[in-house]
Amino acid sequence: MAKLVTADFSNNANPCIMCYITIDNQMIDLKVDSFDAEIISHIYANGEIQLIFNKPITFIGDFAFSNCTTLKSIRIPNSVTSIGRSAFVNCSCLESITIPDNVTNIGDSAFSSCRKLTSITIGNNVASIGNGVFCYCSNLQTIICKAIQPPSLGTSNFSDIPQDAIVIVPKGFENLYMSSDWKILFEQ
């Protein structure tokens, strides 16, 4: 039977849903200044939290979900343009992530030590990926980068990923990737 949940939206005619977050029956501790909008409500049902904001968020701040070891999945809204430093570091149960097309920058160590992470999709407007963003993601098997121009990579981004990981880039642009910072993935 469905459970009816209500929320007070009187302060905002068009609430902005950030995402659905799947966790293992534990509270999550969001850091102060994690977003550029106020959480006005949340709904928890069946292991999933829906965060509702007073306006569209444009960034996920530094350490926003760091050490949230029960976080299994997250859907980042298209309004986000930047993911902060260590935003998801040590989210040891996170299995996959899709970075929306509007994101242009991913901060240092954003997804470092997400040991269950098996796949990432990087949106087509990401221009810069900081240092160590995907280091110690030891189960990362699939990296999809939709950007035609390869994003610049900081150091140690893909250390400890499996040797047989697959990198998928736009057809016809593989030479750009082979001659960019991304070549370290193909030289092992």
Side-chain angles (χ1 to χ4, degrees), residues 20-88:
Y20 291 92
I21 304 169
T22 306
I23 61 171
D24 277 334
N25 297 322
Q26 285 188 355
M27 296 294 291
I28 57 171
D29 180 23
L30 297 176
K31 310 306 179 260
V32 175
D33 299 327
S34 293
F35 312 102
D36 57 344
E38 180 183 341
I39 299 173
I40 59 173
S41 184
H42 70 280
I43 299 169
Y44 177 79
N46 300 321
E48 199 168 77
I49 297 174
Q50 179 180 7
L51 299 177
I52 303 169
F53 292 86
N54 64 339
K55 64 180 183 177
I57 61 170
T58 60
F59 71 85
I60 297 176
D62 295 350
F63 304 98
F65 294 94
S66 66
N67 298 308
C68 185
T69 56
T70 60
L71 179 68
K72 287 185 172 184
S73 67
I74 184 166
R75 283 186 263 168
I76 300 172
N78 291 329
S79 59
V80 171
T81 60
S82 180
I83 297 173
R85 179 173 47 97
S86 300
F88 296 91

Side-chain angles (χ1 to χ4, degrees), residues 10-183:
S10 59
N11 293 333
N12 186 0
N14 296 309
C16 302
I17 298 171
M18 179 204 161
C19 58
Y20 291 92
I21 304 169
T22 306
I23 61 171
D24 277 334
N25 297 322
Q26 285 188 355
M27 296 294 291
I28 57 171
D29 180 23
L30 297 176
K31 310 306 179 260
V32 175
D33 299 327
S34 293
F35 312 102
D36 57 344
E38 180 183 341
I39 299 173
I40 59 173
S41 184
H42 70 280
I43 299 169
Y44 177 79
N46 300 321
E48 199 168 77
I49 297 174
Q50 179 180 7
L51 299 177
I52 303 169
F53 292 86
N54 64 339
K55 64 180 183 177
I57 61 170
T58 60
F59 71 85
I60 297 176
D62 295 350
F63 304 98
F65 294 94
S66 66
N67 298 308
C68 185
T69 56
T70 60
L71 179 68
K72 287 185 172 184
S73 67
I74 184 166
R75 283 186 263 168
I76 300 172
N78 291 329
S79 59
V80 171
T81 60
S82 180
I83 297 173
R85 179 173 47 97
S86 300
F88 296 91
V89 69
N90 199 35
C91 289
S92 54
C93 287
L94 187 62
E95 296 170 352
S96 68
I97 190 79
T98 296
I99 298 165
D101 289 339
N102 288 334
V103 171
T104 58
N105 179 56
I106 303 171
D108 292 347
S109 303
F111 297 96
S112 177
S113 299
C114 293
R115 300 208 182 270
K116 287 190 179 179
L117 190 65
T118 60
S119 68
I120 56 169
T121 299
I122 300 168
N124 60 19
N125 287 312
V126 173
S128 173
I129 298 175
N131 296 317
V133 172
F134 300 106
C135 71
Y136 308 116
C137 294
S138 53
N139 287 303
L140 186 56
Q141 288 291 325
T142 306
I143 303 162
I144 300 169
C145 189
K146 299 185 333 183
I148 291 173
Q149 181 66 39
S152 65
L153 291 179
T155 60
S156 304
N157 268 302
F158 297 103
S159 60
D160 198 37
I161 67 166
Q163 296 256 339
D164 60 346
I166 297 170
V167 180
I168 301 169
V169 301
K171 187 175 183 173
F173 295 94
E174 51 275 13
N175 287 337
L176 277 175
Y177 280 82
M178 295 293 283
S179 62
S180 73
D181 299 340
W182 288 71
K183 66 184 173 192

